[in-house]
Amino acid sequence: AQSVTQLGSHVSVSEGALVLLRCNYSSSVPPYLFWYVQYPNQGLQLLLKYTSAATLVKGINGFEAEFKKSETSFHLTKPSAHMSDAAEYFCAVSDPINTDKLIFGTGTRLQVFP
Amino acid sequence: DTAVSQTPKYLVTQMGNDKSIKCEQNLGHDTMYWYKQDSKKFLKIMFSYNNKELIINETVPNRFSPKSPDKAHLNLHINSLELGDSAVYFCASSQDGAGWEEQYFGPGTRLTVT
């Protein structure tokens, strides 16, 4: 079965520092991968997605992620954190059989300190 | 205009009661979903509908019954509410339900069962 592992339930960075949120997936076939962001008391919003085109994917708000098949990873990065980036971040993968079924990781809470 | 809307935003009720949550999307999408997010922020799909037809039905108790009167609406009715049903319920939609598509989430309904 498909699964997604997000290492680190909490990540804290200083404003202006690099953001790195880790995501590893298990899949027997090339997956579709997503990063969603959830701001407090809101629904999820798509940051970016990988759909087997370019392995380096650029998203909104300066975030990007790189698909590495050899490492089964899809880590999310941002060169310089902003206070407004504080939120919960979810990595997700599409189920290869029920393709409209998204399987989410457990989430990583990003805190940004001034 | 709100793309995916849910009502109510908050719902507090007692064990044993029956309640409904409504969802509407004005994006013209064919597929709609219900997700449950527990107190640890874990997000899991419950149901999906494509053009009013049930597609995904995860291992959800029979007390939960989705209803789609038309493709723009997907309501969730819950009978005999239990303490463990307390969670945030998110509605979402996507264009066709394909695995590479973005899902658009509503703001969530926080259900508290006392």
Side-chain angles (χ1 to χ4, degrees):
Chain A
Q2 291 276 46
S3 68
V4 175
T5 302
Q6 290 185 242
L7 286 176
S9 58
H10 289 83
V11 170
S12 297
V13 300
S14 299
E15 193 172 20
L18 171 72
V19 175
L20 170 60
L21 304 182
R22 298 179 187 274
C23 174
N24 289 87
Y25 66 92
S26 67
S27 174
S28 57
V29 298
Y32 300 121
L33 291 158
F34 305 81
W35 276 100
Y36 282 84
V37 60
Q38 184 180 24
Y39 297 104
N41 299 314
Q42 293 186 30
L44 279 71
Q45 177 184 0
L46 182 71
L47 274 178
L48 48 81
K49 64 180 179 179
Y50 168 76
T51 57
S52 73
T55 56
L56 182 61
V57 181
K58 294 189 184 298
I60 61 171
N61 302 338
F63 284 93
E64 62 183 37
E66 186 172 8
F67 172 69
K68 290 188 177 180
K69 185 178 177 181
S70 60
E71 298 177 7
T72 61
S73 68
F74 191 56
H75 301 331
L76 181 71
T77 60
K78 181 173 180 177
S80 177
H82 193 272
M83 296 294 289
S84 61
D85 294 327
E88 192 87 24
Y89 291 80
F90 293 93
C91 183
V93 63
S94 288
D95 187 285
I97 299 174
N98 293 315
T99 56
D100 66 336
K101 177 180 171 181
L102 275 183
I103 298 165
F104 283 87
T106 49
T108 297
R109 172 157 291 181
L110 176 66
Q111 287 185 301
V112 182
F113 292 101
Chain B
D1 278 348
T2 304
V4 181
S5 58
Q6 296 178 227
T7 54
K9 189 167 176 65
Y10 300 96
L11 187 51
V12 181
T13 188
Q14 292 183 328
M15 284 175 55
N17 285 347
D18 303 339
K19 291 293 178 185
S20 292
I21 307 172
K22 295 186 175 183
C23 177
E24 176 181 2
Q25 54 94 5
N26 63 6
L27 297 167
H29 289 168
D30 283 342
T31 305
M32 296 184 72
Y33 312 82
W34 277 110
Y35 287 88
K36 179 180 180 180
Q37 186 175 47
D38 64 22
S39 58
K40 296 184 178 179
K41 298 284 188 178
F42 183 62
L43 200 66
K44 192 171 190 300
I45 191 166
M46 300 172 69
F47 303 102
S48 79
Y49 271 74
N50 182 279
N51 207 5
K52 302 194 297 176
E53 180 184 347
L54 180 65
I55 303 298
I56 294 174
N57 184 351
E58 291 292 285
T59 49
V60 177
N62 290 338
R63 300 181 294 103
F64 289 79
S65 53
K67 283 188 171 52
S68 182
D70 55 61
K71 73 175 192 177
H73 296 84
L74 181 61
N75 304 323
L76 183 65
H77 188 77
I78 315 169
N79 289 326
S80 303
L81 278 154
E82 299 177 358
L83 292 176
D85 298 332
S86 295
V88 181
Y89 292 85
F90 287 99
C91 178
S93 73
S94 67
Q95 184 63 60
D96 297 308
W100 59 84
E101 291 175 347
E102 174 181 0
Q103 293 187 16
Y104 293 78
F105 285 77
T109 296
R110 183 175 295 274
L111 172 65
T112 303
V113 182
T114 61

